[in-house]
Amino acid sequence: MQTKIGIIGGSGIYGMDGLQDAAWVNVASPWGAPSDAVLTGNLDGVAMIFLPRHGRGHVHSPTTVPYRANIDVLKRLGVTDVISVSACGSFRENMAPGDFVIVDQFIDRTFAREKSFFGTGCVAHVSLAHPTCARLSDACQIAGRDAGITIHRGGTYLAMEGPQFSSQAESKLYRSWGCDVIGMTNMPEAKLAREAELCYAAVAMITDYDSWHPDHGAVQVSDVIKTLQDNGTRARDLIARLAALLGPDRAPCPHGCDRALDHALMTDPDNRDTALVAKLDAIAGRVL
């Protein structure tokens, strides 16, 4: 199998530099329109796909991002590995603005989003005990260090609905739970990537200390934007190194991300909803 890397760019990252044969293309999905067209190309002999999560010009709020369409489009284009890049706040003194965190766990506090491709007429349950791919996270860690980024391996990401930032009481509560960073977009994205049998790694770029820190007070958008711009440059350096690290030839995932649906389907074939099954052609065609 050939490697095809999908990058989902978060706040401050709306494009990707250095791609050969670069072109923006529109891809249709039965789950609705994705956030934007996707940028296709190749880097060091590896196919790359870039999708701006909020759309160019930042038109989608965290709640209105079409998460299902985005993941479906990447799967439909043959993506094998997804790297999510997103902005976040920090709950830890040693995880400072400008640092990056390779997230490995999530607590999902979102409530206004569709979180599964499956449902009435075709029920499935996938494991999310380890929601990110360790192999892909290793590559992101190496790429970050080689790019000179202060990068922390491992962290729990609290996904909040937004678009407002946390109250101080919420910030202190989430910190007491053992969360390391807070953001608004990695859920349900990671859940959907697992349902689509895609390896998924999450790179969280710290912009602020949320509102718990006694010396920093409330989050200010003006401060966030300045750090976002600096983080965006570093993130592009990290992304540019991934193709060489992952290489063009891809073996099956040693952690089973690409076989997540092997024992997930619950609905008897005779009772499956044909319309839903048709929409699942890219996501679950391997097992359907």
Side-chain angles (χ1 to χ4, degrees), residues 8-266:
I8 302 178
S11 299
I13 304 176
Y14 309 106
M16 184 175 169
D17 303 326
L19 284 183
Q20 287 126 19
D21 302 319
W24 287 94
V25 298
N26 291 299
V27 184
S29 167
W31 302 94
S35 293
D36 204 332
V38 295
L39 180 63
T40 66
N42 61 82
L43 192 64
D44 295 327
V46 177
M48 304 281 285
I49 304 288
F50 176 84
L51 175 62
R53 183 186 288 113
H54 297 278
R56 286 168 289 178
H58 206 104
V59 296
H60 288 287
S61 78
T63 296
T64 66
V65 168
Y67 295 97
R68 292 191 295 183
N70 287 351
I71 294 296
D72 177 78
V73 160
L74 294 180
K75 180 75 173 185
R76 204 166 286 279
L77 288 171
V79 165
T80 56
D81 301 277
V82 175
I83 292 91
S84 160
V85 184
S86 61
C88 71
S90 170
F91 292 129
R92 303 293 163 214
E93 190 86 50
N94 68 316
M95 294 180 174
D99 292 2
F100 286 17
V101 181
I102 308 296
V103 173
D104 60 2
Q105 287 293 329
F106 298 98
I107 295 177
D108 188 0
R109 298 282 289 173
T110 65
F111 54 82
R113 310 172 189 191
E114 294 290 346
K115 301 189 180 188
S116 178
F117 290 107
F118 299 92
T120 304
C122 192
V123 177
H125 302 281
V126 298
S127 172
L128 215 69
H130 301 286
T132 62
C133 178
R135 175 191 61 88
L136 203 52
S137 296
D138 287 343
C140 291
Q141 181 180 17
I142 294 168
R145 286 181 176 172
D146 289 349
I149 300 166
T150 300
I151 196 158
H152 305 268
R153 177 60 184 270
T156 297
Y157 177 116
L158 188 290
M160 65 180 295
E161 186 62 48
Q164 303 84 2
F165 295 119
S166 307
S167 71
Q168 191 174 77
E170 289 170 328
S171 190
K172 290 180 176 179
L173 174 66
Y174 301 149
R175 190 167 184 257
S176 77
W177 286 356
C179 299
D180 298 292
V181 295
I182 184 168
M184 302 179 188
T185 57
N186 279 196
M187 283 289 164
E189 191 174 86
K191 293 178 175 178
L192 296 167
R194 179 58 50 85
E195 288 187 343
E197 300 190 315
L198 295 171
C199 290
Y200 181 89
V203 179
M205 310 178 296
I206 298 173
T207 60
D208 57 83
Y209 278 116
D210 205 51
S211 57
W212 66 272
H213 201 294
D215 297 329
H216 292 269
V219 180
Q220 299 293 332
V221 171
S222 57
D223 296 334
V224 169
I225 289 174
K226 173 62 170 68
T227 310
L228 271 177
Q229 292 170 342
D230 294 339
N231 283 351
T233 299
R234 288 190 285 267
R236 285 187 284 273
D237 288 344
L238 183 156
I239 291 166
R241 297 169 190 270
L242 288 172
L245 285 168
L246 293 172
D249 299 316
R250 187 181 185 279
C253 175
H255 310 290
C257 300
D258 50 9
R259 303 178 297 282
L261 294 176
D262 274 356
H263 307 290
L265 294 177
M266 300 292 290

